[in-house]
Amino acid sequence: SLVWAAMPGMLFRKNRGTSLHPLNLSWVFGYNSSLAVHSLMDGEDRVLLYISSHIVVIHDILGNKQYHLQGHMNVISCLCVSEDKRWVATADQGPDALIIVWDSYSGVPVRTIFESHPEDGVCAIAISQDAKYLVTISAGTVQKVHVWRWTWPTEKPMCSTELKPEFGHQDYVIFNPQDPHEFVSNSKTQVIFYLWVRKSQLWDENTAWLLSPQTFKCLVGQFSQSVFHFNNTQALTGTSAGKLVVWDMDNPRTLPEELPAKPHGITATKVVSMQKESLTVLQVLKSCVVTGDVKGQVKFYDGQLRLLIIYSHDKVGPIRSISFSTILRDPPDASLDSSQPFLTSRSDSSNSVSLTLNRNFILSTSDATMFHVATDSMNFERIMKEAKKAVNAITCHPQEPFVAAGSHCGLLKVWDYKETQYLVSRIFTEAGIQCLSYDPEGYLLAAGFTDGSVYILDAISLKSICDKFQFSQGPVTHISFSHDSKYLATADENHSVTVYKRVLQNGSRCWEHLAGLDSHYKPIRSILFGIHSDSNEPRLLSLGEDRQLVEYDLKSSIKDHLVVTHRDRLEQAAVPLCLAWYPQLSTESFFLTANNCYKMKLYNTMTKMCRRTLLGPTYGSPLKKIQILPRTSSADPQQYYLVFITNDKVGLQMLPVDGNPHKSSAFICHPDGASDFATSHDGRYIFTAGGTECTFMKWKVNLPALDAAAFLGGEDLIPFYSLLNGGREGEFFRELEDYFYYVQLCRQGIDAMENRQVSTHISLEEIPSVMRAIGFYPSEEEIEEMTNEVKFSKYADTGEQVTKIDLGDFIKLYINHRPALGLSMKAIQRAFQVLGYDNEKGDKVIDTGDFLSLLQCRGEQMTEDELAECLITLLGRRPREGGSEPDTCNPTGAAALTEEEIPAEITAEVFVGDILGLPIAK
């Protein structure tokens, strides 16, 4: 097997072959600085292992290569590495949390444990010295501790215990290196020692008493990490006050057949003040105790806690982890120049120094920086510095292989993504970067900040070409240049659009503020520049969650006055989330939107009429941003693709959009939320920003894989049959056929005796009746959109209107327009939350009179006769004969007909079950 034959270093020599996926993770930028970084190899092959989001990254620093271990669906919350650096265990928190044990030599996941802590996932994990056992602590309010024999094929732990809430949130755990049946964990305030013997038996040895300030008779601060002393009779715990708590344990401790009547004696015998600074890392290495602190110092002590040596550097921040190489080096020279970036404290324990200080080590800090420390030369080498706060901004150069990413910590960094080489960076100290955009010529880079400021920078040097602008009152969320680089537009969290204009002053180009406008009353989702069809002038649109599409007249706008040419409402109930220009695939021009109901819509660019409604990708959450993928030189000139992100995924969609589910594909990119994406100018790469994960990722595009998936999904109606309940041979399809032909019988007259003229088409007027008969209840506006979609489907090409529809096109129309996730009881309950009130029982109800009045006077208003007919039909009563002309806003007539059947107060359940007669999901 791959695992059996694996050797150190072979991972990067593997031939990965041709990928079968449309998108493949190529590189990960940034990492989770709250988790440890491990040194797997040192010397000629300097290989590190760290966590980026849900990915385990094995990074060959000198070879500039990465290998990615992918298997988690949630952000990885903890990890541990075996003593020989071969076995890596990772765990996550969230839905379907996993524990995975990896072979770092081959990259193979050798064991996956499902539902280890199904409530909340895992917050701490450790592996025993012999690499046979794992211990995990759950992340829930009530924490559980499990011990696993991961080499056994069982899904149940060997033993477990539940911790009391008084012990605090235990977030660190480690085995006794000399006894795998003992381990220790700690929270900020409590330390727990454990002993386990066999299945289902586990002692936590400090259950009898809780630690308090009186326990130590001095201020110790908060606990950070604990370790077992190499003398096997003591344990140590580091604190935020720079002290070590020394725990004495019974000695000798032999493993009994059964757990003793009471746990081993563990006593805090002393508190040793090591320094003033907080201790963040505590380790035992051979015959030394090693500490790391918030000032970036690494100190080595002997067994009696006497100082041996200090490593420090003014560029090192608070230490998060220390990982030692397995390769032995020559010990450091005792006679060192004091100008070197470290201090030494001479000690008589020269043997300890020579045995311990001959290993290089990797430092990782809480400010997302890694250092390689060479013990032979006493050299601190910075090998990585990444964003320590959210990465929300990313953009690609329009001509060169450059990608720029901005962070909330103010770090702006530019990379050459082909060579994966860092090029240039700049740190802004005043505010965080929220959005970025290159101009189409590639000379400028515009940045929007969290304080509302806008910088326009030189794209190469990142130096400001003019003073910053400060015209937004809130964080700038969107920024974009026009096609001719004459205009720059921004949107901010205060729902305002601001436009800047390039002007000539003294013969040189510069930028000035043109105008701003509070265009929307809800968050702005997109700003989009285009080109007027009858000229080469730029065209600017903004789209908001208020469902308004606003178009601006830039040519007529003057200083401090931004002119609006059109305001159009795009949706009736759904919320539009993103906007893009649609490729010219026909004689008609469109722009494309995606809404929160998983629908994509095509609008005519001039009339703003909705021309098509289509089922969009359904990958757990609606599309947040869309963009047409730039075409490669080798691509089919008639084939286009759409790039999109959802809350946690990145994907590709083949165009034209038609509702075929096989024409799209998506992959998890950022489980905690993808904030933005950008595409390379040649369409070969996609970059996704991970927001609070502090990472961004490079994905390689493989279009033939998506083409193959679409081809294998079938042609014409085959993909759509699979979206019907029961498919082509199911009862629903047969029922749909019956309705389709029943409509023709009704059109010709049910009682007619003449020969029937059976057709494969029905008229457009019958579409609403058949839709309702099969369980889809569109609004009047949706009916109009469906009818117009079919009626004008060929008008741009032939100039003629379509008056009928066949069964195949009807199925496509039904699938594309019906609710993507079916009827939702939650949506009805939300409506009652808004429209209703709390009755005496605490239920949300609507008064029957108010209910009838709302239907007749609000929204798509129903007449009294229409309402009465609907209610009588639903409740099984015969319609009345005759009657006077109804008062449109007087519900008394309908109320009189239904006062016996409808209660005075209507709940959501009564409305769905008793009035509409629909089944309510349990």
Side-chain angles (χ1 to χ4, degrees), residues 30 100 125-126 280 362 395 403 406 508 531 607 620 644 684 721 789 827 849 887 913:
I100 304 179
I125 190 170
T280 56
I362 296 293
T395 186
V403 58
S508 61
I531 307 174
T607 65
F644 62 84
R684 298 182 185 275
Y721 288 142
E789 179 176 320
D887 182 358

Side-chain angles (χ1 to χ4, degrees), residues 473-578:
Q473 300 304 311
V476 179
T477 56
H478 299 79
I479 193 164
S480 180
F481 283 94
S482 62
H483 74 285
D484 55 5
S485 300
K486 291 182 179 179
Y487 293 93
L488 172 68
T490 67
D492 59 49
E493 284 190 1
N494 285 358
H495 319 146
S496 299
V497 172
T498 307
V499 178
Y500 304 88
K501 186 177 181 180
R502 191 182 70 190
V503 295
L504 283 176
Q505 285 186 356
N506 300 325
S508 61
R509 292 180 176 180
C510 61
W511 289 82
E512 68 175 17
H513 172 257
L514 178 61
L517 185 66
D518 295 336
S519 308
H520 300 267
Y521 64 89
K522 287 188 177 181
I524 297 173
R525 299 297 307 208
S526 295
I527 56 172
L528 186 66
F529 273 106
I531 307 174
H532 282 284
S533 57
D534 56 351
S535 68
N536 197 38
E537 292 297 318
R539 184 181 183 186
L540 178 61
L541 307 172
S542 67
L543 177 67
E545 290 184 12
D546 54 7
R547 304 181 178 89
Q548 295 291 316
L549 179 73
V550 182
E551 182 168 1
Y552 307 87
D553 187 347
L554 297 176
K555 192 173 183 180
S556 302
S557 298
I558 58 176
K559 183 68 174 178
D560 297 327
H561 180 62
L562 187 59
V563 178
V564 173
T565 57
H566 295 96
R567 286 183 180 270
D568 298 278
R569 180 176 62 84
L570 296 189
E571 297 279 1
Q572 183 181 30
V575 178
L577 299 179
C578 45

Side-chain angles (χ1 to χ4, degrees), residues 191-202:
V191 180
I192 307 177
F193 293 85
Y194 307 79
L195 171 69
W196 66 275
V197 176
R198 63 183 185 180
K199 185 176 181 180
S200 300
Q201 291 186 323
L202 185 79

Side-chain angles (χ1 to χ4, degrees), residues 757-816:
Q757 300 296 321
V758 179
S759 171
T760 57
H761 295 75
I762 62 172
S763 65
L764 300 188
E765 292 77 12
E766 304 295 346
I767 289 177
S769 301
V770 181
M771 289 288 183
R772 290 167 181 147
I774 59 178
F776 170 39
Y777 309 100
S779 66
E780 294 301 316
E781 184 171 317
E782 289 173 325
I783 290 171
E784 184 180 358
E785 288 183 352
M786 283 191 292
T787 305
N788 288 337
E789 179 176 320
V790 180
K791 182 186 296 184
F792 297 107
S793 58
K794 299 179 180 179
Y795 188 82
D797 297 324
T798 65
E800 298 179 354
Q801 296 183 4
V802 177
T803 59
K804 55 186 179 180
I805 186 173
D806 63 18
L807 181 60
D809 288 337
F810 183 88
I811 290 174
K812 291 181 181 180
L813 191 70
Y814 165 70
I815 287 173
N816 283 320

